[in-house]
Coordinates of all heavy atoms in Angstrom, one line a residue:
Chain X
G53 N 20.1 -12.7 -20.4 CA 19.7 -12.1 -21.7 C 18.4 -11.5 -21.8 O 18.0 -10.9 -22.8
I54 N 17.6 -11.5 -20.7 CA 16.2 -11.0 -20.7 C 16.1 -9.9 -19.6 O 16.2 -10.3 -18.4 CB 15.2 -12.1 -20.5 CG1 15.4 -13.2 -21.5 CG2 13.8 -11.5 -20.6 CD1 14.5 -14.4 -21.2
T55 N 15.8 -8.7 -20.0 CA 15.6 -7.6 -19.0 C 14.3 -6.8 -19.4 O 13.9 -6.8 -20.6 CB 16.8 -6.7 -18.8 OG1 17.0 -6.0 -20.1 CG2 18.0 -7.4 -18.5
D56 N 13.8 -6.1 -18.4 CA 12.6 -5.3 -18.7 C 12.6 -4.2 -17.7 O 13.2 -4.2 -16.6 CB 11.3 -6.1 -18.7 CG 10.2 -5.5 -19.5 OD1 10.4 -4.3 -19.9 OD2 9.3 -6.2 -19.8
Q57 N 11.8 -3.2 -18.0 CA 11.7 -2.0 -17.2 C 10.7 -2.2 -16.0 O 9.7 -2.8 -16.2 CB 11.3 -0.8 -18.0 CG 12.3 -0.4 -19.1 CD 11.9 0.8 -19.9 OE1 10.8 1.3 -19.7 NE2 12.8 1.3 -20.7
G58 N 11.0 -1.5 -14.9 CA 10.0 -1.5 -13.8 C 9.3 -0.1 -13.8 O 9.1 0.5 -14.8
E59 N 9.0 0.3 -12.6 CA 8.3 1.5 -12.4 C 9.1 2.8 -12.6 O 8.6 3.8 -13.1 CB 7.8 1.6 -10.9 CG 6.9 2.8 -10.5 CD 6.6 2.8 -9.1 OE1 6.9 1.8 -8.3 OE2 6.0 3.8 -8.6
V60 N 10.4 2.8 -12.3 CA 11.2 4.0 -12.4 C 12.5 3.7 -13.1 O 13.6 3.8 -12.6 CB 11.5 4.6 -11.0 CG1 10.2 5.2 -10.4 CG2 12.0 3.5 -10.0
P61 N 12.5 3.4 -14.4 CA 13.7 3.0 -15.1 C 14.5 4.2 -15.7 O 15.7 3.9 -16.1 CB 13.1 2.2 -16.3 CG 11.8 2.9 -16.6 CD 11.3 3.3 -15.2
N62 N 14.0 5.4 -15.7 CA 14.7 6.5 -16.4 C 16.0 6.8 -15.8 O 16.1 7.0 -14.6 CB 13.8 7.7 -16.5 CG 12.6 7.5 -17.4 OD1 12.6 6.6 -18.2 ND2 11.6 8.3 -17.2
G63 N 17.1 6.8 -16.6 CA 18.4 7.2 -16.1 C 19.2 6.0 -15.7 O 20.4 6.1 -15.2
Y64 N 18.7 4.8 -15.8 CA 19.3 3.5 -15.5 C 19.4 2.6 -16.6 O 18.4 2.5 -17.4 CB 18.6 2.9 -14.3 CG 18.4 3.7 -13.1 CD1 17.2 4.4 -12.9 CD2 19.4 3.9 -12.1 CE1 17.0 5.2 -11.8 CE2 19.2 4.7 -11.0 CZ 18.0 5.3 -10.8 OH 17.8 6.1 -9.7
N65 N 20.4 1.7 -16.6 CA 20.5 0.7 -17.7 C 21.0 -0.6 -17.0 O 21.7 -0.6 -16.0 CB 21.6 1.2 -18.7 CG 21.4 0.5 -20.0 OD1 20.5 -0.3 -20.2 ND2 22.2 0.9 -21.0
V66 N 20.5 -1.7 -17.6 CA 20.9 -3.0 -17.0 C 21.2 -4.0 -18.2 O 20.8 -3.8 -19.3 CB 19.8 -3.6 -16.1 CG1 19.6 -2.9 -14.8 CG2 18.5 -3.8 -16.9
S67 N 21.9 -5.0 -17.8 CA 22.1 -6.1 -18.7 C 22.3 -7.4 -17.9 O 22.5 -7.3 -16.7 CB 23.4 -5.9 -19.6 OG 24.5 -5.8 -18.8
R68 N 22.1 -8.5 -18.5 CA 22.2 -9.8 -17.8 C 22.8 -10.8 -18.7 O 22.2 -11.6 -19.4 CB 20.8 -10.3 -17.4 CG 20.8 -11.5 -16.5 CD 20.6 -11.2 -15.1 NE 20.6 -12.4 -14.3 CZ 19.5 -13.1 -13.9 NH1 18.3 -12.7 -14.3 NH2 19.6 -14.2 -13.2
S69 N 24.1 -10.8 -18.6 CA 24.9 -11.7 -19.5 C 25.1 -13.1 -18.8 O 25.3 -14.1 -19.5 CB 26.3 -11.1 -19.8 OG 27.0 -10.8 -18.7
T70 N 25.0 -13.2 -17.5 CA 25.1 -14.5 -16.8 C 24.0 -14.6 -15.8 O 23.3 -13.6 -15.4 CB 26.4 -14.6 -16.0 OG1 26.4 -13.6 -14.9 CG2 27.6 -14.3 -16.9
T71 N 23.7 -15.8 -15.3 CA 22.7 -16.0 -14.3 C 23.1 -15.3 -13.0 O 22.2 -14.8 -12.3 CB 22.5 -17.5 -14.0 OG1 22.0 -18.1 -15.2 CG2 21.4 -17.7 -13.0
E72 N 24.4 -15.2 -12.7 CA 24.8 -14.8 -11.4 C 24.8 -13.2 -11.2 O 24.6 -12.7 -10.2 CB 26.2 -15.3 -11.1 CG 26.4 -16.8 -11.0 CD 26.4 -17.5 -12.3 OE1 26.6 -16.9 -13.4 OE2 26.1 -18.7 -12.3
D73 N 25.1 -12.5 -12.3 CA 25.3 -11.1 -12.2 C 24.2 -10.2 -12.9 O 23.7 -10.6 -13.9 CB 26.7 -10.7 -12.8 CG 27.8 -11.5 -12.2 OD1 28.0 -11.3 -11.0 OD2 28.4 -12.3 -12.8
F74 N 23.9 -9.1 -12.2 CA 22.9 -8.2 -12.7 C 23.3 -6.8 -12.4 O 22.8 -6.1 -11.4 CB 21.6 -8.5 -12.1 CG 20.4 -7.8 -12.8 CD1 20.3 -7.7 -14.1 CD2 19.3 -7.4 -12.0 CE1 19.2 -7.1 -14.7 CE2 18.2 -6.7 -12.6 CZ 18.2 -6.6 -13.9
P75 N 24.3 -6.2 -13.1 CA 24.7 -4.8 -12.8 C 23.7 -3.7 -13.2 O 23.0 -3.9 -14.2 CB 26.0 -4.7 -13.6 CG 25.8 -5.7 -14.7 CD 25.0 -6.8 -14.2
L76 N 23.7 -2.7 -12.4 CA 22.9 -1.5 -12.7 C 23.8 -0.3 -13.0 O 24.7 0.1 -12.2 CB 22.0 -1.2 -11.5 CG 21.1 0.1 -11.6 CD1 20.0 -0.2 -12.5 CD2 20.6 0.5 -10.2
R77 N 23.6 0.3 -14.2 CA 24.4 1.4 -14.6 C 23.7 2.7 -14.6 O 22.5 2.8 -15.0 CB 24.9 1.1 -16.1 CG 26.1 0.2 -16.2 CD 26.5 0.0 -17.6 NE 25.6 -0.8 -18.3 CZ 25.6 -2.2 -18.3 NH1 26.5 -2.8 -17.6 NH2 24.7 -2.9 -19.0
L78 N 24.3 3.7 -14.0 CA 23.8 5.0 -14.0 C 24.5 5.8 -15.1 O 25.8 5.9 -15.1 CB 24.0 5.8 -12.7 CG 23.1 5.5 -11.6 CD1 23.2 4.1 -11.0 CD2 23.2 6.5 -10.4
L79 N 23.8 6.2 -16.1 CA 24.4 6.8 -17.3 C 25.0 8.2 -17.1 O 26.1 8.4 -17.6 CB 23.4 6.8 -18.4 CG 22.6 5.4 -18.6 CD1 21.5 5.6 -19.6 CD2 23.6 4.4 -19.0
S80 N 24.3 9.0 -16.4 CA 24.7 10.4 -16.1 C 24.0 10.8 -14.8 O 22.9 11.2 -14.8 CB 24.3 11.3 -17.3 OG 24.7 12.7 -16.9
A81 N 24.7 10.6 -13.7 CA 24.1 10.8 -12.4 C 23.5 12.1 -12.2 O 24.1 13.2 -12.6 CB 25.1 10.4 -11.3
A82 N 22.4 12.1 -11.5 CA 21.7 13.4 -11.1 C 21.3 13.3 -9.6 O 21.2 12.2 -9.1 CB 20.4 13.5 -11.9
P83 N 21.2 14.5 -9.0 CA 20.9 14.5 -7.6 C 19.6 13.7 -7.2 O 19.5 13.1 -6.1 CB 20.7 16.0 -7.3 CG 21.7 16.6 -8.2 CD 21.5 15.8 -9.5
S84 N 18.7 13.6 -8.2 CA 17.5 12.9 -7.9 C 17.7 11.4 -7.8 O 16.8 10.6 -7.4 CB 16.4 13.1 -9.0 OG 17.0 12.7 -10.3
Q85 N 18.9 10.9 -8.2 CA 19.2 9.5 -8.0 C 19.9 9.2 -6.7 O 20.3 8.0 -6.5 CB 20.1 9.1 -9.2 CG 19.4 9.1 -10.5 CD 20.2 8.7 -11.7 OE1 21.3 9.3 -12.0 NE2 19.8 7.7 -12.5
T86 N 20.0 10.2 -5.9 CA 20.5 9.9 -4.5 C 19.5 9.0 -3.8 O 18.3 9.3 -3.7 CB 20.6 11.2 -3.7 OG1 21.7 12.0 -4.3 CG2 20.9 10.9 -2.2
S87 N 19.9 7.8 -3.3 CA 19.0 6.8 -2.8 C 19.8 5.7 -2.3 O 21.0 5.6 -2.4 CB 18.1 6.4 -4.0 OG 17.0 5.5 -3.5
V88 N 19.0 4.7 -1.7 CA 19.6 3.4 -1.4 C 19.1 2.4 -2.4 O 17.9 2.3 -2.6 CB 19.3 3.0 0.0 CG1 19.9 1.6 0.4 CG2 19.7 4.0 1.1
Y89 N 20.0 1.7 -3.0 CA 19.7 0.7 -4.0 C 19.8 -0.7 -3.5 O 20.8 -1.1 -3.0 CB 20.6 0.9 -5.2 CG 20.4 2.2 -5.9 CD1 20.9 3.4 -5.5 CD2 19.5 2.3 -7.0 CE1 20.7 4.6 -6.1 CE2 19.2 3.5 -7.6 CZ 19.8 4.7 -7.1 OH 19.6 5.9 -7.7
F90 N 18.8 -1.5 -3.8 CA 18.8 -2.9 -3.4 C 18.6 -3.8 -4.6 O 17.8 -3.5 -5.5 CB 17.6 -3.2 -2.4 CG 17.8 -2.6 -1.1 CD1 17.2 -1.4 -0.7 CD2 18.6 -3.3 -0.1 CE1 17.4 -0.9 0.6 CE2 18.8 -2.7 1.1 CZ 18.2 -1.5 1.5
C91 N 19.4 -4.8 -4.6 CA 19.3 -5.9 -5.6 C 18.6 -7.1 -4.9 O 18.8 -7.3 -3.7 CB 20.6 -6.3 -6.1 SG 20.7 -7.6 -7.3
A92 N 17.8 -7.8 -5.7 CA 17.1 -9.0 -5.1 C 17.0 -10.1 -6.1 O 17.1 -9.8 -7.3 CB 15.6 -8.6 -4.7
S93 N 16.9 -11.3 -5.6 CA 16.8 -12.5 -6.6 C 15.8 -13.5 -6.0 O 15.5 -13.5 -4.8 CB 18.2 -13.1 -6.8 OG 18.6 -13.8 -5.6
S94 N 15.3 -14.3 -6.9 CA 14.4 -15.4 -6.4 C 14.4 -16.5 -7.4 O 14.9 -16.4 -8.6 CB 13.0 -14.8 -6.3 OG 12.4 -14.6 -7.6
Y95 N 13.9 -17.7 -7.0 CA 13.7 -18.8 -7.8 C 12.6 -18.5 -8.9 O 11.8 -17.5 -8.8 CB 13.2 -20.0 -7.0 CG 14.2 -20.6 -6.1 CD1 14.1 -20.4 -4.7 CD2 15.3 -21.3 -6.6 CE1 15.1 -20.9 -3.8 CE2 16.3 -21.8 -5.7 CZ 16.1 -21.6 -4.4 OH 17.1 -22.1 -3.5
S96 N 12.6 -19.3 -9.9 CA 11.7 -19.1 -11.0 C 10.6 -20.2 -11.0 O 9.9 -20.3 -12.0 CB 12.4 -19.1 -12.3 OG 13.0 -20.3 -12.5
G97 N 10.4 -21.0 -10.0 CA 9.4 -22.0 -9.9 C 8.1 -21.4 -10.1 O 7.8 -20.3 -9.7
L98 N 7.2 -22.2 -10.7 CA 5.8 -21.7 -10.9 C 4.9 -22.1 -9.8 O 5.0 -23.1 -9.2 CB 5.3 -22.3 -12.2 CG 6.0 -21.8 -13.5 CD1 5.5 -22.5 -14.7 CD2 5.9 -20.3 -13.7
P99 N 3.8 -21.3 -9.5 CA 3.7 -19.9 -10.1 C 4.8 -19.0 -9.5 O 5.1 -19.1 -8.3 CB 2.3 -19.5 -9.6 CG 2.0 -20.3 -8.4 CD 2.7 -21.6 -8.6
A100 N 5.2 -18.1 -10.3 CA 6.4 -17.2 -10.0 C 6.1 -16.4 -8.7 O 7.0 -16.2 -7.9 CB 6.7 -16.3 -11.1
S101 N 4.9 -16.0 -8.5 CA 4.6 -15.1 -7.4 C 4.7 -15.8 -6.0 O 4.6 -15.1 -5.0 CB 3.3 -14.5 -7.6 OG 3.3 -13.7 -8.8
Y102 N 4.8 -17.1 -6.0 CA 5.0 -17.8 -4.7 C 6.4 -17.5 -4.2 O 6.6 -17.7 -3.0 CB 4.9 -19.3 -4.9 CG 3.5 -19.8 -4.9 CD1 2.5 -19.2 -5.6 CD2 3.1 -20.9 -4.0 CE1 1.2 -19.7 -5.6 CE2 1.8 -21.4 -4.0 CZ 0.9 -20.8 -4.7 OH -0.4 -21.3 -4.7
N103 N 7.3 -17.0 -5.0 CA 8.7 -17.1 -4.6 C 9.2 -15.9 -3.8 O 9.1 -14.8 -4.3 CB 9.6 -17.4 -5.8 CG 9.2 -18.7 -6.5 OD1 9.1 -19.7 -5.9 ND2 8.9 -18.6 -7.8
E104 N 9.9 -16.2 -2.7 CA 10.4 -15.2 -1.9 C 11.6 -14.5 -2.6 O 12.4 -15.1 -3.3 CB 11.0 -15.8 -0.6 CG 11.8 -14.9 0.3 CD 12.4 -15.6 1.4 OE1 12.2 -16.8 1.6 OE2 13.2 -15.0 2.1
Q105 N 11.6 -13.2 -2.4 CA 12.8 -12.4 -2.9 C 13.8 -12.3 -1.8 O 13.5 -12.0 -0.7 CB 12.3 -11.0 -3.3 CG 11.3 -11.0 -4.4 CD 11.7 -10.1 -5.6 OE1 12.4 -9.1 -5.4 NE2 11.3 -10.5 -6.8
F106 N 15.1 -12.6 -2.2 CA 16.2 -12.4 -1.3 C 16.9 -11.1 -1.7 O 17.3 -10.9 -2.8 CB 17.2 -13.6 -1.5 CG 16.6 -14.9 -1.0 CD1 15.8 -15.7 -1.8 CD2 16.9 -15.4 0.3 CE1 15.2 -16.9 -1.4 CE2 16.3 -16.6 0.7 CZ 15.5 -17.4 -0.2
F107 N 17.1 -10.3 -0.6 CA 17.7 -9.0 -0.9 C 19.1 -8.9 -0.5 O 19.6 -9.5 0.5 CB 16.9 -7.9 -0.1 CG 15.6 -7.6 -0.7 CD1 14.5 -8.4 -0.5 CD2 15.4 -6.5 -1.5 CE1 13.2 -8.1 -1.0 CE2 14.2 -6.2 -2.1 CZ 13.1 -7.0 -1.8
G108 N 19.9 -8.1 -1.2 CA 21.2 -7.8 -0.8 C 21.2 -6.7 0.2 O 20.2 -6.2 0.6
P109 N 22.4 -6.3 0.8 CA 22.5 -5.4 1.8 C 22.4 -3.9 1.4 O 22.2 -3.1 2.3 CB 24.0 -5.6 2.4 CG 24.7 -6.1 1.2 CD 23.7 -6.9 0.4
G110 N 22.4 -3.7 0.1 CA 22.1 -2.3 -0.4 C 23.4 -1.5 -0.7 O 24.5 -1.8 -0.1
T111 N 23.2 -0.5 -1.5 CA 24.3 0.5 -1.9 C 23.7 1.8 -1.6 O 22.7 2.2 -2.2 CB 24.7 0.4 -3.3 OG1 25.4 -0.9 -3.5 CG2 25.7 1.5 -3.7
R112 N 24.4 2.6 -0.8 CA 23.9 4.0 -0.4 C 24.6 4.9 -1.4 O 25.9 5.1 -1.3 CB 24.2 4.3 1.0 CG 23.5 5.6 1.5 CD 23.7 5.7 3.0 NE 23.0 4.7 3.7 CZ 21.7 4.8 4.1 NH1 21.0 5.8 3.9 NH2 21.2 3.8 4.8
L113 N 23.9 5.6 -2.3 CA 24.5 6.4 -3.3 C 24.1 7.9 -3.0 O 22.9 8.2 -2.8 CB 24.0 6.0 -4.7 CG 24.4 6.9 -5.8 CD1 25.9 6.8 -6.0 CD2 23.7 6.6 -7.1
T114 N 25.1 8.8 -3.1 CA 24.8 10.2 -3.0 C 25.3 10.9 -4.2 O 26.5 10.6 -4.6 CB 25.5 10.8 -1.7 OG1 25.0 10.2 -0.6 CG2 25.2 12.3 -1.6
V115 N 24.5 11.7 -4.8 CA 24.9 12.4 -6.0 C 24.9 13.9 -5.7 O 23.9 14.5 -5.3 CB 24.0 12.2 -7.2 CG1 24.5 12.9 -8.5 CG2 23.9 10.7 -7.5
L116 N 26.1 14.5 -5.8 CA 26.2 16.0 -5.4 C 26.0 16.9 -6.6 O 26.2 16.5 -7.8 CB 27.6 16.2 -4.8 CG 27.9 15.3 -3.6 CD1 29.3 15.6 -3.2 CD2 26.9 15.6 -2.5

Side-chain angles (χ1 to χ4, degrees):
Chain X
I54 307 170
T55 64
D56 207 344
Q57 296 181 352
E59 180 186 354
V60 289
N62 292 341
Y64 307 96
N65 205 355
V66 293
S67 60
R68 183 99 180 268
S69 56
T70 67
T71 299
E72 295 77 20
D73 300 298
F74 190 42
L76 178 72
R77 280 181 285 278
L78 279 70
L79 309 172
S80 177
S84 60
Q85 294 179 302
T86 294
S87 187
V88 181
Y89 292 85
F90 288 100
C91 179
S93 72
S94 72
Y95 290 108
S96 61
L98 294 176
S101 297
Y102 275 51
N103 300 309
E104 172 188 352
Q105 298 235 328
F106 293 82
F107 284 83
T111 294
R112 189 173 297 271
L113 176 68
T114 301
V115 182
L116 303 175

